[in-house]
Each structure stands twice: as structure tokens, then as C-alpha cells.
Amino acid sequence: MIIASIDIAQYDCPIVRITEDIDNIKVVVLAANNSLIKEGVEKIYIKMSSDDTNMLFNAIKKINAYGMVKNLNVLGRTEKEAKLLMYIKKTRAMEATVDLDAMPLAPWVASNGYEKWILGFHNKKLLNDYLSIVKEQDIIKNILVKEVPEELIAKISLGYIPITSFIEKTYTLTDRQIDVLELSVSKGYYDWPRKSNTIELSKELGVSRVAVTKLLRKAEGVILKESISLVKQLRKLEKKDKKEVML
């Protein structure tokens, strides 16, 4: 399967437009129902967030006034985020996604006038056809393409919950811990034999050797613990899945 990460500026999409019209607004498309797309309509659930309460309120009013939005309902709201159900006019990019049987692999995130789509295609021709259609009207800022075995995609789907837990836990690493780990890897601290030591790392970072050791131990502890847990859970789920298939 061909996986494409695409940053699209859709000029016919109210979600992209609101992030362009109002600063510091972020929108995540939680779900999209395209059953009415042949009638020119998309049904989408979104989460809109901002650190500014007034800005969030203004964004809801503004997006509801767009001609591209046929109907909007606020499903829930706090000071910093709101969940909305919207019926919008179909976009060219979404219609191409449906027509070419592209598979959405993650929620779409919009900010600063662009929306990031993660799509799966059966082959490169379908991807190229999709890009040709989208580029006729919209702008593609960035695109990252990788061919991924279907078996790996299946494993990711099977282990979705353990993977999200891994990301949640390892994301707690501080910037300083990440910096130390990155430097340690680049300087060969984890090579065999080692090409650097904590004394050399501490000199480069301008901190004590004890501080480097402490940062590394804490970061390594989190990564190792969560990595082992993730691998064990994935293997357990895979074995269970194979057993159920055999039955």
C-alpha cells in the first residue's frame, strides 16, 4: 500500500479557511461521513480548539457564516475547545478521495491555512491521479510518500490502543531529555564500542556529568519501559488474532 502524508490548502473547505482567517485556531476532523457526497454534501465531526476563549467563540460564529457550511450544530463546548457537527458542501479533494477509493488512515488536522491528510492508496497510479485532480484547484504544500506492506498496516490497526498509549507516555519526555538523547545518539554514545562518554556529552551541553547521567537515565527508563510494553502487547494481540483466524 502507498501511504501519503499531504498538506493541502483547500480553497473550497471551510475548515481550512477558518484556520487561515483566524490565527491560533486548530481543527481536527474526527469523522467524515461521505454517504451524501454524490448529492454534493459532506457530514463531518470536528474539534476546534484555541487558547483564547473569545477567539474560539468568534471562530464558531465565523465558520457558521461561510457559504460552504450548510448546517452547524455545537455538540459540546469548554473554554478552549468545541465539538461541532457540520454539513458542508463537498470539496474537490474529498470527492477525489471517494472516487479513487483512497483510505483515510488518521484524523485530519488543519492549522495555518493547511490541512494534513494521511491517505492510503492501492497503487502509485491512484496516488498520482489523486494529486493531479487536487492540484487543478488546490495547493499541495508538502507531501511525504512511503510504500508500506499491508501486513504492517494491519499490525498498526490491531495495536492501535497500545500504540496510542506508547505515544502518550513517551511524549512526556522533556525537551532537555530529547536534546540529550539526540546528542548521545549522534555522538555514538550507544555504539559498540562507545565513541563518546558522559564527560564529553556534559562538556558539549555545558552541564555537569551528573546532570547528563540523570537526564539519560530518566529518558531511557521511560522509553525502554514503554517500548517493552508496546512490543509485548502487539505480539500478544497478534497471537490472539492468529488463533481466532485458525478457529
Side-chain angles (χ1 to χ4, degrees), residues 89-243:
K89 292 181 180 179
K90 69 177 181 182
T91 67
R92 184 76 176 275
M94 180 60 80
E95 186 174 33
T97 301
V98 174
D99 290 343
L100 296 175
D101 297 322
M103 180 189 300
L105 296 176
W108 300 316
V109 180
S111 60
N112 302 316
Y114 283 87
E115 190 172 26
K116 181 175 288 294
W117 291 30
I118 310 294
L119 297 172
F121 296 87
H122 299 298
N123 53 57
K124 288 184 179 180
K125 181 181 181 306
L126 288 175
L127 169 60
N128 291 332
D129 289 345
Y130 179 81
L131 295 176
S132 296
I133 293 171
V134 172
K135 286 179 179 179
E136 289 178 1
Q137 177 175 302
D138 304 319
I139 292 178
I140 293 179
K141 181 181 180 182
N142 297 307
I143 178 168
L144 179 64
V145 179
K146 182 177 178 60
E147 187 168 1
V148 180
E150 286 77 5
E151 294 79 6
L152 180 57
I153 299 297
K155 287 181 180 179
I156 293 173
S157 298
L158 188 66
Y160 189 83
I161 292 178
I163 290 171
T164 56
S165 177
F166 172 82
I167 294 172
E168 183 180 24
K169 297 291 179 57
T170 55
Y171 205 74
T172 61
L173 293 174
T174 66
D175 291 341
R176 194 62 167 161
Q177 288 173 326
I178 294 294
D179 289 342
V180 174
L181 284 171
E182 188 174 27
L183 180 64
S184 300
V185 172
S186 67
K187 294 297 182 180
Y189 177 78
Y190 294 104
D191 291 355
W192 182 264
R194 280 182 172 171
K195 296 177 182 177
S196 66
N197 55 44
T198 53
I199 296 176
E200 294 168 340
L201 295 174
S202 67
K203 289 180 180 179
E204 186 145 353
L205 290 168
V207 298
S208 69
R209 182 183 180 184
V210 173
V212 170
T213 302
K214 186 176 180 180
L215 286 166
L216 282 176
R217 288 286 177 85
K218 285 191 173 182
E220 290 166 352
V222 171
I223 292 174
L224 284 172
K225 178 182 176 182
E226 297 306 324
S227 296
I228 292 169
S229 176
L230 174 60
V231 172
K232 287 179 67 177
Q233 289 185 72
L234 288 177
R235 288 182 175 175
K236 184 177 179 180
L237 288 168
E238 188 175 21
K239 288 179 181 178
K240 179 182 177 182
D241 186 58
K242 286 181 179 179
K243 186 180 293 186

